[in-house]
Amino acid sequence: MSSSAHLKLTSNSYHSNSCFFSLQELTFLTKQEILLAHKRFTELLSKEEKDLPNTRVSMERILSLPELKSNPFRERICHVFSTSAHQDGSLTFEDFLDLLSAFSDSATLEIKSHYAFRIFDFDDDGTLDCGDLEKLVNCLTGETDDTRLGPEEMRQLINNILEESDIDKDGTVNLSEFQHVISRSPDFVSSFKIVL
Amino acid sequence: MSEGEMARLMEEVEEKKKLIGTIRNKPWRMKRRLVQLREAQQFVDKFEGALGKGKGRKWYAYKVMMTKKWIKFQRDFENFRTACIPWERKIKEVESHFGSSVASYFIFLRWMYGMNLVLFGFTFGLVVIPEVLMGLPYGSIPRKTVPRAEQPTAQDYSVLMDFNGYCKYSVLFYGYYNNQRTIGVLKFRLPLSYLMVGIGTFGYSLMVVIRTMAKNADVGGGDGGEGEFTFAWKMFTSWDYLIGNSETADNKFASITTSFKESIVDEQENQKDENIHLRRFLRVLANFLITCSLGGSGYLIYFVVKRSQDFASRDDLSWYEKNELELIMSLLGLVCPPLFETIAELEDYHPRIALKWQLGRIFALFLGNLYTFLFALFDEVNTKLEEEQAIQNASIWAMKEYYANYTRLLNDSESTPPPMDPSDVIRGPCWETAVGIEFVKLTVSDIQVTYLTILIGDFARAVIVRFLNYCWCWDLEAGFPSYGEFDISGNVLGLVFNQGMIWMGAFYAPGLVGINVLRLLSSMYYQCWAVMATNVPHERVFKASKSNNFYMGLLLLILFLSLLPVVYTIMTLPPSFDCGPFSGKVKMFDVIMETIDLDLPAFMGTLFSYAANPGLIIPAVLLMVLAIYYLNSVSEAYKNSNLELKKKMQMARDEEKNRRNNMDSTNQVMKDLEDLMPNQSLAPPAPPPEPEKTPEPETKPVKTKPGKGVNLQKDVALASPNPGAQRPVSRPPGPRGQGPGAGPGRGRGRGVPPR
């Protein structure tokens, strides 16, 4: 990839209209949202990093954002949107925009369900198997032990879920089955939203 | 370049343009999208010019430039529109603390504010302003002047609070408007405008509500049954990503855990058949009690209205007696819902069903109260109408007397006497203004009660719990009163019914819409503050999932119910003889007849008379009924073919799996077929033959060239290939096609993806 493939959003080209026009083509965000995202992102950078093009922000600093701090899937979200070679969940500004675009109000159901699937796929193998579902339930029921489900309840729950969503009965939920289930849910689009 | 090459090039350019338009739908990395975008843009720029050779080149180039400018303009306009939406920050704060269901109330409030603002614009711009600017000023004619008897007290605060005195004879109410056919230099037809605005209010509200309902119905795929994917939905969609506060997050965790455990238990003990007779008896008892209380409240209102009519003739009223009616109505609305909830404990329903019953009962309560109020009001109107006849005679007499006195005094029967001083003319009872006053008083007292309830019920309670906790025996915060939770359904219903009252009263009191706009504005700030300062997030977060359209449906019903009285009065009751824009006419809608006769060319008159012929209207109604029936049966057919497709999908996969495992076919139909032909193995066709038209409501028709498969999920090689996936595939997926287009839905709560 040539270096021109990166968006130059340093303070010079900040105000260039064509840059924003491209960004609006590429994402679901409006101009104000992109500006706000840029502001919040640069707040995370240290002084030296601000001048470098295309800096990468580590996962810890991203997770300090209030919108992500209380989210049980925050680490998975960072991993999914990260383009880092080291798989460490760090995000560049482009990745950050990607994240906001997928979670924005105007993103389509397909995009949201696609990314939701990738977030829930804890072992990154392309399907949601029992291990993924178990980790998912544990994320949702909180950190402490007294809120977690017992092994018997967990097994029952996973069986029920597979019964409902696994159409081809192979013991895992793949992307199209997941999208089929999600597309019927009336709450998904409105709850799968992050706004700065 | 030959014709064929040119055509092919044009096709490719179109394709690249489509790619540019839908590139944000692709789940690619930003880098890849950027590269693709640049490539596509370069391609389009390079070849678009070349295509314009030959005739019409300039026109083509011009067209291209205009399209680009238009797209840019649309984009900027969308940005501007999103920037204009008020209170985004406030709502976002509420969302991050309380989750999206509480915030949905505030989004609804904001939507109502927008609608009321438009209605206010219509009323103000087309009725109030013309009368103020171009009509006669205060004091010039009888209907615009305070009668002499009332003048000493007309400025008193208590009189003004009752909307009498100067308030009554102002633009706020129906009675102020003059019935001159045209006013001012511009020949503005005020009575016609008044009637049209009155009807247009309902028309506009109807259009807006139905449009929002249609948008909401798009999400959630219509016919998915309630219990279809309970567990999967709980797992995948229960987390609210807008939560940004750790306390709320903890609450959410707890409620998710509870709901998991409950549904596991529910699933296990489905046949909990304890004592069905006792349960039935209790339910019947509960319904009986509730019906009694509904009847009781209706009777109470009737009684109070009758009393207020008696009070109207007396003068020495205490504050309570003057405002008794409004107080009682508001208090009933406050006291009965918790009463219903307590009685409903007897019924022992599942919470979601119990909520539905509760909402239904509250709805019945409000409706019953409102309509009893209306009927009692109609009684009053009829008495006023009778009174009118007597007053009309009396005023004619008084006029004759005045002239006789005048000529006698001056001993000069030649000169015409000046008209009687406006404040001395005997006035008719003007029932429309009286009705308008009633509605305004009701709205104002409703506002007061709501605000007081929040102040006392939430704020005072929070202060007491916080500060008295230090010196109290038990833990106030965890135990008995504790902090209040935000009552979403109660508040939404209150808003809906308030709007119903506005719709009913706006025809008789044009100022009512302005009052409502102010109320909604202040409500927004006040309730946002109250929620953040005094409420805690819900313990049990369970969403009545399709509740968005439920409340819209309620609003639509209320709209129709408030339309009825207004239309009835326009059509049947005679307007007052001396006040309002229709005075002097036999029926209010005579204005329209007059306008058609006098202002429009002759053939329009004959046209309208033909259109109003019953012989034309009845067939039109029949046609509409047939259209509804037809659309109904078409939608049934779609539902059926949906089910068929699902079954096919399942069958195909079963067969595939069985083939893979070398097992005998488990499909009975296939088995039977196989038995018939024992020597051939009947392998099912690989992808099942797809129907030409996909009737599934959730897939958009593919707008690409024939022969190109569309499969968004194929772009990322995660999914195992599913031949019978949701979208129609006419051949195995080839090079990347395009996904369904993205709509420019922006703004919170309105950005619903079009499906």
Side-chain angles (χ1 to χ4, degrees), chain B residues 222-360:
Chain B
D223 64 341
E226 267 275 326
E228 204 178 327
F229 289 117
T230 20
F231 286 99
W233 284 351
K234 272 204 185 38
M235 238 335 227
F236 299 132
T237 67
S238 57
W239 183 260
D240 197 344
Y241 288 71
L242 284 163
I243 293 180
N245 178 350
S246 57
E247 200 185 298
T248 320
D250 289 335
N251 264 8
K252 191 83 173 150
F253 286 138
S255 81
I256 291 179
T257 316
T258 324
S259 94
F260 272 146
K261 293 202 171 146
E262 266 181 12
S263 34
I264 298 176
V265 165
D266 258 355
E267 188 76 358
Q268 284 170 353
E269 39 164 290
N270 236 336
Q271 322 303 334
K272 189 163 90 157
D273 212 64
E274 259 179 33
N275 194 342
I276 204 168
H277 296 293
L278 178 66
R279 191 185 280 189
R280 273 204 203 128
F281 171 70
L282 284 176
R283 283 187 187 164
V284 167
L285 178 67
N287 277 318
F288 175 70
L289 285 173
I290 289 184
T291 326
C292 282
S293 46
L294 281 175
S297 88
Y299 178 70
L300 184 62
I301 291 183
Y302 193 77
F303 175 70
V304 169
V305 171
K306 285 291 167 213
R307 243 165 57 120
S308 80
Q309 282 170 359
D310 298 333
F311 286 158
S313 42
R314 285 170 36 196
D315 266 334
D316 55 335
L317 299 171
S318 64
W319 174 84
Y320 171 73
E321 277 160 345
K322 269 196 270 202
N323 295 315
E324 188 180 32
L325 174 62
E326 288 76 28
L327 269 175
I328 296 281
M329 279 192 73
S330 310
L331 281 177
L332 275 175
L334 209 61
V335 160
C336 285
L339 180 68
F340 291 164
E341 242 181 272
T342 336
I343 297 181
E345 306 259 323
L346 283 173
E347 289 183 329
D348 194 25
Y349 277 126
H350 183 275
R352 181 163 301 182
I353 304 182
L355 181 70
K356 284 207 174 123
W357 275 97
Q358 175 74 354
L359 290 174

Side-chain angles (χ1 to χ4, degrees), chain B residues 600-708:
Chain B
L600 296 175
F603 74 92
M604 298 281 279
T606 29
L607 207 68
F608 275 119
S609 66
Y610 285 151
N613 192 343
L616 206 65
I617 292 188
I618 293 185
V621 169
L622 274 176
L623 199 67
M624 281 193 269
V625 169
L626 282 176
I628 292 177
Y629 177 70
Y630 169 73
L631 288 171
N632 218 12
S633 44
V634 164
S635 103
E636 282 291 324
Y638 280 163
K639 271 191 217 164
N640 283 337
S641 60
N642 233 359
L643 280 166
E644 284 301 318
L645 278 175
K646 233 185 174 174
K647 269 192 235 163
K648 255 198 206 168
M649 226 161 66
Q650 212 144 345
M651 231 168 67
R653 292 216 187 89
D654 280 342
E655 278 311 304
E656 172 112 5
K657 225 173 51 148
N658 290 332
R659 252 186 328 127
R660 258 191 285 145
N661 300 343
N662 280 332
M663 273 185 339
D664 204 8
S665 165
T666 49
N667 185 349
Q668 196 52 39
V669 173
M670 296 309 282
K671 249 194 151 149
D672 291 343
L673 265 177
E674 271 185 11
D675 286 339
L676 283 176
M677 298 179 242
N679 292 330
Q680 298 174 10
S681 81
L682 219 61
E690 228 60 38
E692 320 232 305
K693 175 169 83 144
T694 328
E696 279 185 23
E698 64 211 23
T699 2
K700 267 196 158 168
V702 177
K703 294 191 193 68
T704 53
K705 297 189 296 198
K708 275 214 165 199

